[in-house]
Amino acid sequence: MDEPAEIGRRVQQLRNQRGLTQRQLAEPSYTPAYVSTLESGKVRPSETALRFLAERLGTTFEELATGRPAHVATELRLALTDAQQDLATGSADEAAVRYRRLLTDAEHLDLAPEQAEALLGLGECALETGELANAGRHFEAAERLLAGEPLPRRARAIRGRAIAHLLAGELRYACYLLESTIDELGASGLADPEALVLLYAAVIGPYIDMGAHARAAHAAELALALAPQVSDPVLVAGMHRQVARTFLAEGRTADADASLAKAQAIYRQLRLRTDLAHCHWMRGYVQAQNGELALAEQELRTARDMLTAKRAVLYTAQVEVELADVLRRLGRYEEATGLLSALLELGDRHGAVHAGGAHRLLGLIAEERGEAEAAEEHYVLALGLLERSGASGDLADLCRLLGDLLRRGGRTEAALDAYRTGLGHRAAPGTTTLGPAPAAPSIPQR
């Protein structure tokens, strides 16, 4: 809302254009003196008063409060919905171009909710393309703009920030952000199914990397159980977008906004496809740990196909690390090596944990082929990457592999050094440093 003087001048100008006296504008709810005081900028009108005056003046509350025609903000929201569709069903790079343009428009119009929506979209695009620093900045900026909103409204920004920290190798902080938000949702009575699916699916990755497999499995089951409550009807979303365009053309901005809100909710749900792919990845991981390699391969390929369809290059590469391990254990070395080589071509964008995992698997393949020198090289590279990440279980296992390799080669002192390093990173199986797992919220069935 503009300053009182700006609003007062606007009211006076519109009143004069319509040939109304202050008494005619004010009655029956207000007095001529109140209108005079308002027009002189000496009082800040309430929303109720402005809505009354807007109706009397034949304009909208938004235009009277801000000077912006209502259709301008609605058109921006329509364009944001189109960008959401691009991100939900197409290329992150293409969606980012549109979001950047819309962010500039929203800043120019001083529309904070639309700025936040554009920033969230840019953050999601940056996550999918692996630009982690940019993603973190976008999510932090969105969270600042949404500081006064209810927690479910802020869940996307918090989840995005946590994922950026996770992919940068900051596992414990990612867990802290996600677990504390899940707990707060439960304690506040705001256990929104969409927000919970986002958060539970996001926490699976750090749980696995920290060795908390039981927590990861529980989070995956909760996310999949809640998923039917956040369906993704693409056709319905498209219908709402087209209806909004029709309403906007007819000047029915309030009706257009209502249709856009429905379309936006659906496209946000469509984004859950990426998160549900992580749940299939989790199932595949658990099956692989249980030796059910054929089932694991099937689940991991399902996850990879879902992510490939979304052109989520970064996430696809991470699932391929797990798939490559299954293929290695099945003796399909060439397929496994091909997947891992493609991952490493992404450079630093895939995060230390997954790059370390790729080098570890390449070391195992080299060792199983009798190529000790190549195996050692990959293990050492993996060690350097994982030491930055806090992935204690992975580090301890890697040091054991390296120590065994060095010992078999007769390098006893070097092997002992590797074992000692591993002992320093050993953690109790299934634990994190975060205390009890978040309580499962009570969700009413629909």
Side-chain angles (χ1 to χ4, degrees):
M1 188 181 293
D2 284 345
E3 292 299 313
E6 290 294 325
I7 295 172
R9 279 194 293 271
R10 202 172 294 130
V11 170
Q12 184 179 42
Q13 182 181 27
L14 289 171
R15 180 177 62 78
N16 290 334
Q17 288 174 358
R18 284 148 179 76
L20 298 173
T21 66
Q22 290 179 338
R23 181 177 299 278
Q24 288 171 324
L25 176 60
E27 293 179 344
S29 299
Y30 298 91
T31 65
Y34 175 75
V35 172
S36 176
T37 304
L38 188 155
E39 288 183 349
S40 65
K42 296 177 180 176
V43 64
R44 177 177 289 279
S46 67
E47 181 178 336
T48 301
L50 271 189
R51 290 192 182 280
F52 170 82
L53 295 174
E55 184 176 355
R56 299 281 288 168
L57 291 166
T59 187
T60 64
F61 165 78
E62 184 171 11
E63 188 163 1
L64 198 59
T66 67
R68 294 187 300 268
H71 69 86
V72 173
T74 303
E75 287 171 354
L76 180 58
R77 286 191 282 273
L78 178 58
L80 282 165
T81 309
D82 291 342
Q84 278 186 293
Q85 186 208 23
D86 287 348
L87 181 55
T89 61
S91 163
D93 286 331
E94 293 170 7
V97 172
R98 178 170 281 185
Y99 275 124
R100 279 191 288 271
R101 184 173 67 250
L102 294 174
L103 176 60
T104 300
D105 292 344
E107 290 171 341
H108 178 71
L109 294 168
D110 196 27
L111 293 169
E114 286 69 28
Q115 289 179 53
E117 194 64 37
L119 286 164
L120 287 169
L122 284 169
E124 295 287 356
C125 292
L127 280 183
E128 291 202 2
T129 56
E131 301 168 271
L132 303 182
N134 285 339
R137 283 192 290 270
H138 292 318
F139 287 124
E140 286 172 6
E143 199 172 349
R144 285 194 296 272
L145 284 168
L146 297 171
E149 296 290 327
L151 185 55
R153 179 77 176 88
R154 291 180 275 124
R156 289 168 62 206
I158 296 169
R159 173 259 187 198
R161 198 153 56 88
I163 292 294
H165 284 292
L166 164 66
L167 297 177
E170 299 162 8
L171 308 182
R172 286 181 171 78
Y173 187 61
C175 273
Y176 164 75
L177 284 175
L178 296 165
E179 288 194 342
S180 60
T181 306
I182 292 169
D183 272 336
E184 189 177 346
L185 278 170
S188 65
L190 300 174
D192 178 77
E194 181 182 331
L196 286 170
V197 172
L198 284 170
L199 297 167
Y200 277 130
V203 82
I204 290 169
Y207 278 161
I208 289 178
D209 291 335
M210 295 173 70
H213 300 154
R215 286 198 191 187
H218 185 57
E221 292 305 319
L222 287 170
L224 291 169
L226 288 166
Q229 297 187 43
V230 282
S231 57
D232 55 354
V234 182
L235 292 178
V236 176
M239 178 270 292
H240 284 305
R241 287 172 59 239
Q242 296 310 314
V243 167
R245 293 181 192 280
T246 302
F247 284 147
L248 191 57
E250 295 174 353
R252 297 165 60 186
T253 53
D255 291 330
D257 280 340
S259 286
L260 286 176
K262 294 174 183 176
Q264 286 175 327
I266 290 170
Y267 284 126
R268 281 196 297 271
Q269 292 164 13
L270 280 172
R271 292 285 304 126
L272 294 178
R273 186 169 176 82
T274 297
D275 296 286
L276 291 175
H278 282 265
C279 295
H280 285 287
W281 161 60
M282 173 62 207
R283 281 181 168 169
Y285 179 87
V286 170
Q287 288 163 344
Q289 296 303 304
N290 291 336
E292 302 170 281
L293 299 183
L295 291 175
E297 181 182 357
Q298 182 179 341
E299 286 286 355
L300 292 169
R301 287 193 184 279
T302 296
R304 187 181 67 160
D305 290 345
M306 292 172 71
L307 293 167
T308 300
K310 286 288 293 89
R311 305 185 202 179
V313 177
L314 179 62
Y315 293 148
T316 302
Q318 293 165 1
V319 172
E320 285 176 343
V321 173
E322 305 296 344
L323 180 57
D325 190 32
V326 170
L327 295 174
R328 178 193 67 82
R329 292 167 64 185
L330 288 168
R332 291 151 64 182
Y333 290 153
E334 294 304 322
E335 288 181 69
T337 300
L339 286 176
L340 296 169
S341 298
L343 169 65
L344 293 176
E345 286 175 6
L346 290 174
D348 293 333
R349 295 190 301 163
H350 46 60
V353 171
H354 298 283
H359 278 296
R360 172 188 173 277
L361 287 176
L362 287 168
L364 282 170
I365 291 170
E367 190 171 356
E368 289 166 7
R369 286 174 160 174
E371 301 167 359
E373 186 175 339
E376 180 181 350
E377 181 180 348
H378 283 298
Y379 288 154
V380 170
L381 287 170
L383 186 62
L385 288 162
L386 292 177
E387 280 182 328
R388 303 202 310 263
S389 72
S392 300
D394 289 345
L395 271 166
D397 174 67
L398 181 64
C399 289
R400 179 188 58 80
L401 290 172
L402 179 58
D404 289 349
L405 177 69
L406 294 170
R407 179 176 53 80
R408 285 193 295 270
R411 296 158 63 187
T412 306
E413 287 301 319
L416 287 171
D417 285 341
Y419 290 141
R420 291 188 193 102
T421 301
L423 286 171
H425 291 292
R426 187 176 58 185
T431 64
T432 71
T433 60
L434 301 174
S442 176
I443 305 294
Q445 296 299 312
R446 294 180 180 175

